[in-house]
């Protein structure tokens, strides 16, 4: 086997976004494109020589070929060992767990998460560090810099590894260890939760539907929910990961998981519903006739965490991304624990988890997780809810409404304007940014603005400052309007408009969220003029 050094012209568009490099599958299939990014990763972390990595992903189109390329490049760059999920499959949280459990130098995850897959869809590559968490900004900056300076990459000339066969095989001097992608993760879940209590819940006739959206959580949810806990067969639907997710958009929200929504909103619907995304790190939670917004979900989980064995001793702290509603803050205040407000992107939570400044973290973008791994974890969130339901013996609606009565309700919604012309999106953002200094001293529509700024984050652990993380207008009554550009899209620019209003109760806690927010939505359009400037009649997705 010989190492081939291939001379290349560097690509100039390999800047990782909110979570790794995401491009059209066709863009990744261009000659040398994947190879250049992988070489940039190895160069940015001081080379691969003697190192051990984890490799796997959500099985979307191009994954099998990409895994073989990465293995040949790891071998050519001197890696000692690569631990690969059988069939190159690993959910993102399972990959994070494996990195931590095996003490590897990091891992490469092949996924574009909730973005559609297939030849016309998206592909992605993400590097996680030895902590198990997504590479932090300084590392992604180094990867980007390395990608621009690249003159060549190294690849072993050899045939494909057999990724269907469990066990260890050699590629040159490097060992490839093919492991069961589900077993370690399922064991971890069994250690965190009271499977017996959840099992008893199912035996009492509790009905659940889990929509794996033809993506990676299928095998994990089937093993954990149906085999280990004993939920009836058929609890998990769309359970086989498909390269194009069966044409579905594997994003667990009311728009894209519409069949599950319809089933759950029916009068005779199941007691509990959940869905997960392409790579298994997101979750959507539903009760019969009720949708739990992700911002409420993390607040409910924090308030009830001590009912779950792994968190029985209490929480060190909690964290949420800035655009996530402040429902969590009031729970933290009641528990007298720290509550951190970070920029969007799970990588910002990793450091807080490592330093034991936070035990649970959550984001409005259907991400919830804890210190058990360094990624958000869809199935973990579902098991948290199940464990709490088993202990409280109340319905999802009862738990949610009880939570609002105790803490008040943060009505919350995100409006997405997808694939806008990049110049139009920039005009909207620039227009608001220009007006921020004047807004801060105004009363608008009967509300006083107490803060109007571009969010900058100071990491409490290392003091690093990350500016430019979203424009926010905060009113005296706690209402907020937030605008930021998505960092995960692959077409044009997507604007995310986050809207929030707090009702203390006891009245007015059970309105429809869109109706309760109508005034804030109208105010946002007056200020931002997204519809006027883009010509759109409304958002593409509302969550
Ligand atoms: C990633 C990040 C999340 C972030 C989400 C949306 O999730 O890990 O922290 O909230 O993207 O980011 P944006 O608003 O920039 O599109 P995932 O599930 O796509 O990996």
């Amino acid at each position: 086997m010989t190492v081939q050094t291939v001379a290349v012209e560097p690509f100039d568009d390999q800047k990782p976004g909110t979570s790794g490099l995401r491009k059209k599958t066709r863009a990744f299939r261009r000659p040398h494109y994947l190879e250049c990014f992988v070489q940039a990763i190895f160069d940015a972390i001081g080379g691969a020589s003697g190192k051990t990595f984890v490799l796997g992903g959500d099985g979307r189109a191009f994954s099998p070929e990409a895994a073989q390329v990465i293995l040949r490049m790891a071998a050519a760059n001197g890696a000692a060992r690569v631990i690969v999920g059988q069939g190159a499959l690993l959910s993102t949280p399972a990959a994070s767990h494996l990195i931590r459990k095996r003490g590897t130098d990091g891992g490469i995850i092949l996924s574009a998460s909730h973005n559609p897959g297939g030849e016309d869809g998206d592909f992605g590559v993400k590097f996680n560090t030895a902590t198990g968490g997504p590479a932090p900004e300084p590392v992604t900056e180094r990867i980007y810099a390395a990608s621009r300076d690249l003159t060549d990459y190294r690849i072993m000339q050899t045939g494909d590894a057999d990724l269907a066969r469990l066990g260890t095989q050699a590629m040159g001097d490097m060992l490839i260890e093919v492991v069961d992608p589900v077993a370690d993760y399922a064991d971890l879940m069994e250690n965190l939760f009271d499977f017996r209590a959840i099992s008893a819940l199912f035996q009492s006739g509790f009905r659940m539907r889990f929509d794996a959206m033809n993506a990676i959580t299928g095998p994990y949810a089937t093993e954990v929910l149906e085999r280990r806990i004993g939920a009836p067969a058929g609890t998990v639907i769309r359970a086989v990961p498909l390269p194009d997710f069966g044409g579905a958009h594997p994003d667990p929200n009311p728009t894209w998981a519409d069949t599950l929504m319809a089933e759950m909103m029916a009068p005779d619907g199941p007691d509990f519903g959940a869905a997960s995304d392409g790579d298994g790190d997101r979750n959507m939670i539903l009760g019969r006739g009720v949708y739990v917004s992700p911002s409420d979900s993390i607040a409910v989980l924090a308030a009830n965490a001590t009912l779950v064995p792994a968190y029985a001793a209490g929480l060190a702290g909690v964290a949420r991304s800035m655009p996530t509603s402040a429902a969590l803050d009031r729970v933290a205040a009641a528990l007298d624990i720290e509550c951190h407000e970070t920029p969007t992107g799970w990588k910002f939570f990793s450091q807080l988890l490592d330093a034991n400044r936070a035990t649970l973290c959550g984001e409005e973008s259907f991400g919830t997780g804890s210190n058990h791994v360094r990624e958000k974890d869809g199935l973990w969130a579902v098991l948290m809810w199940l464990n709490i339901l088993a202990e409280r013996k109340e319905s999802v609606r009862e738990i949610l409404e009880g939570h609002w009565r105790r803490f008040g309700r943060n009505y919350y919604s995100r409006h997405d304007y997808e694939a806008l012309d990049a110049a139009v999106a920039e005009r909207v953002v620039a227009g608001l940014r220009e007006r921020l200094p004047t807004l801060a001293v105004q009363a608008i529509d009967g509300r006083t603005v107490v803060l109007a700024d571009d969010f900058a984050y100071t990491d409490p652990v290392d003091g690093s400052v990350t500016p430019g993380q979203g424009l926010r207008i905060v009113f005296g009554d706690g209402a907020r309007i937030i605008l930021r550009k998505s960092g995960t899209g692959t077409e044009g620019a997507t604007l995310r408009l986050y809207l929030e209003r707090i009702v203390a109760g006891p009245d007015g806690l059970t309105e429809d969220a869109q109706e309760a927010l109508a005034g804030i939505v109208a105010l946002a359009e007056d200020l931002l003029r997204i519809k006027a400037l883009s010509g759109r009649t409304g958002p593409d997705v509302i969550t």
Side-chain angles (χ1 to χ4, degrees):
M1 283 181 221
T2 54
V3 171
Q4 190 187 0
T5 300
V6 181
V8 282
E9 283 292 320
F11 293 91
D12 62 3
D13 66 344
Q14 298 197 327
K15 186 175 171 58
T18 308
S19 184
L21 184 68
R22 293 184 192 171
K23 298 282 174 195
K24 290 282 162 210
T25 308
R26 287 183 210 293
F28 258 107
R29 279 194 187 276
R30 279 176 295 165
H32 312 301
Y33 192 83
L34 169 72
E35 290 85 343
C36 284
F37 189 63
V38 173
Q39 189 64 53
I41 293 174
F42 290 149
D43 291 353
I45 59 168
S49 185
K51 291 182 177 166
T52 296
F53 299 104
V54 162
L55 174 65
D58 61 16
R60 66 180 61 221
F62 190 47
S63 298
E65 300 96 310
Q68 297 293 346
V69 165
I70 293 169
L71 287 171
R72 291 206 294 274
M73 288 187 66
N77 280 270
R81 179 185 289 262
V82 180
I83 303 165
V84 196
Q86 190 177 29
L89 295 178
L90 274 176
S91 76
T92 289
S96 179
H97 176 51
L98 212 47
I99 292 169
R100 293 163 61 75
K101 185 175 179 205
R102 299 291 302 272
T104 74
D105 298 285
I108 295 179
I109 300 174
L110 308 175
S111 172
S113 188
H114 58 287
N115 296 17
E119 293 310 324
D120 297 325
D122 294 348
F123 187 76
V125 177
K126 184 167 79 149
F127 179 70
N128 282 32
T129 64
T131 66
E137 297 269 288
V139 178
T140 55
E141 284 303 322
R142 283 208 299 278
I143 294 173
Y144 181 42
S147 78
R148 280 172 301 169
D149 293 344
L150 209 70
T151 53
D152 54 49
Y153 65 84
R154 288 174 290 296
I155 189 160
M156 186 77 81
Q157 288 193 304
T158 181
D160 282 355
D162 181 358
L163 298 184
R165 181 164 52 89
L166 292 176
T168 303
Q169 54 200 283
M171 180 179 275
D173 293 335
M174 184 179 87
L175 294 178
I176 298 172
E177 187 184 333
V178 180
V179 298
D180 179 333
V182 176
D184 289 308
Y185 175 86
D187 291 348
L188 174 67
M189 294 301 116
E190 202 159 350
N191 281 331
L192 298 175
F193 299 104
D194 186 346
F195 275 23
R196 253 194 292 175
I198 303 174
S199 211
L201 181 69
F202 279 106
Q203 274 156 23
S204 72
F206 179 86
R207 287 186 303 133
M208 170 180 182
R209 189 73 70 227
F210 182 100
D211 186 355
M213 305 191 89
N214 306 315
I216 193 70
T217 7
Y220 293 86
T222 305
E223 170 67 18
V224 170
L225 297 173
E226 297 188 6
R227 292 206 194 95
R228 298 201 185 192
I229 290 177
T235 297
V236 183
I237 56 168
R238 298 205 280 177
V240 178
L242 301 173
D244 64 349
F245 308 116
H249 188 152
D251 194 355
N253 64 36
T255 303
W256 297 119
D258 51 349
T259 314
L260 176 70
M261 279 299 281
E263 187 180 4
M264 293 303 303
M265 294 307 138
D268 59 346
D271 300 287
F272 183 58
S276 191
D277 70 329
D279 62 333
D281 56 2
R282 294 186 175 208
N283 72 92
M284 176 172 70
I285 300 294
L286 303 161
R288 185 185 305 115
V290 60
Y291 158 74
V292 183
S293 94
S295 295
D296 277 342
S297 179
I298 180 63
V300 169
L301 295 188
N304 293 279
T306 52
L307 297 174
V308 177
Y311 312 100
L315 307 174
V318 290
R320 64 166 172 86
S321 66
M322 183 273 283
T324 302
S325 96
L328 182 62
D329 304 36
R330 281 197 302 283
V331 175
L335 296 175
D336 195 23
I337 55 173
E338 289 185 0
C339 181
H340 302 275
E341 186 178 38
T342 64
T344 295
W346 204 262
K347 57 194 166 194
F348 293 100
F349 292 138
S350 280
Q351 190 125 294
L352 296 171
L353 293 165
D354 286 338
N356 200 31
R357 299 284 296 266
T359 311
L360 301 190
C361 306
E363 289 188 288
E364 50 65 40
S365 55
F366 299 85
T368 330
S370 89
N371 58 358
H372 69 290
V373 289
R374 293 295 180 272
E375 287 278 3
K376 55 189 184 277
D377 187 343
L379 191 50
W380 170 91
V382 172
L383 290 164
M384 279 294 279
W385 268 94
L386 280 170
N387 207 151
I388 291 166
L389 287 164
E391 290 297 330
R392 289 193 47 165
K393 302 183 175 35
E394 289 174 287
S395 68
V396 173
R397 183 185 286 284
E398 284 161 349
I399 290 178
L400 196 58
E401 293 184 354
H403 186 91
W404 294 334
R405 279 195 301 277
R406 180 169 170 209
F407 295 100
R409 179 170 178 188
N410 290 56
Y411 282 101
Y412 183 82
S413 185
R414 185 177 101 185
H415 290 194
D416 290 341
Y417 291 81
E418 295 185 338
L420 291 172
D421 181 84
V424 169
E426 190 42 48
R427 210 174 311 146
V428 174
V429 174
L432 179 60
R433 185 176 285 116
E434 241 169 61
R435 291 186 59 194
L436 285 176
T438 59
L439 290 176
V441 290
Q442 267 185 37
I444 310 172
D445 224 18
R447 288 195 154 81
T448 319
V449 179
V450 290
L451 184 68
D453 72 351
D454 192 347
F455 177 60
Y457 176 62
T458 304
D459 186 306
V461 180
D462 65 11
S464 61
V465 177
T466 313
Q469 295 301 307
L471 307 183
R472 59 180 176 175
I473 305 168
V474 184
F475 298 93
D477 60 0
R480 296 194 300 168
I481 295 172
I482 293 157
L483 177 74
R484 59 179 283 281
K485 264 198 254 180
S486 159
T488 56
T490 58
E491 254 181 79
T494 290
L495 283 181
R496 305 210 191 285
L497 176 61
Y498 310 84
L499 307 141
E500 179 176 4
R501 191 188 134 215
I502 303 177
V503 173
D507 300 323
L509 293 174
T510 53
E511 270 182 66
D512 170 79
Q514 297 308 318
E515 284 168 20
L517 288 165
I520 298 281
V521 172
L523 183 54
E525 178 58 22
D526 278 354
L527 287 169
L528 275 62
R529 304 180 59 241
I530 301 184
K531 285 192 240 173
L533 290 170
S534 67
R536 298 276 174 93
T537 51
D540 300 281
V541 176
I542 294 181
T543 55

